[in-house]
Amino acid sequence: MKDLRKVVVEIEKLTTNIETNYPELYRSLDENPLTIPTKQNPHIDKEVMQDYLESLKQLLKHHLETHKKAK
């Protein structure tokens, strides 16, 4: 359970960072198909949360690569 808690804390930190620093990306998070469960009562465990965390990291990475600020 401790590992799951760490993953959840990391998700919270990352989503807070996105919300604060990339509001245009944050608005699209609730529309992200990865956040919509396909089952009525999905099973949530460390692996599922880790996958979600990785998807958030990839989403932010892609956003940063495609929206580089002009200097």
Side-chain angles (χ1 to χ4, degrees), residues 14-23 26 29:
L14 184 55
T15 54
T16 300
N17 176 34
I18 293 171
E19 180 181 24
T20 303
N21 298 307
Y22 310 98
Y26 183 77
L29 286 183

Side-chain angles (χ1 to χ4, degrees), residues 5-32:
R5 198 171 306 233
K6 286 181 177 181
V7 173
V8 171
V9 167
E10 197 170 341
I11 290 170
E12 290 173 352
K13 288 179 181 179
L14 184 55
T15 54
T16 300
N17 176 34
I18 293 171
E19 180 181 24
T20 303
N21 298 307
Y22 310 98
E24 69 283 2
L25 179 59
Y26 183 77
R27 284 190 292 273
S28 71
L29 286 183
D30 64 342
E31 300 169 3
N32 186 340

Side-chain angles (χ1 to χ4, degrees), residues 4-63:
L4 176 58
R5 198 171 306 233
K6 286 181 177 181
V7 173
V8 171
V9 167
E10 197 170 341
I11 290 170
E12 290 173 352
K13 288 179 181 179
L14 184 55
T15 54
T16 300
N17 176 34
I18 293 171
E19 180 181 24
T20 303
N21 298 307
Y22 310 98
E24 69 283 2
L25 179 59
Y26 183 77
R27 284 190 292 273
S28 71
L29 286 183
D30 64 342
E31 300 169 3
N32 186 340
L34 295 173
T35 64
I36 302 171
T38 57
K39 298 179 182 176
Q40 186 69 10
N41 296 310
H43 175 72
I44 304 298
D45 61 11
K46 181 184 174 213
E47 184 177 331
V48 171
M49 296 305 284
Q50 186 67 46
D51 288 346
Y52 178 61
L53 175 60
E54 292 305 316
S55 72
L56 287 175
K57 288 178 180 180
Q58 289 301 314
L59 191 65
L60 179 57
K61 179 182 176 191
H62 177 6
H63 180 77

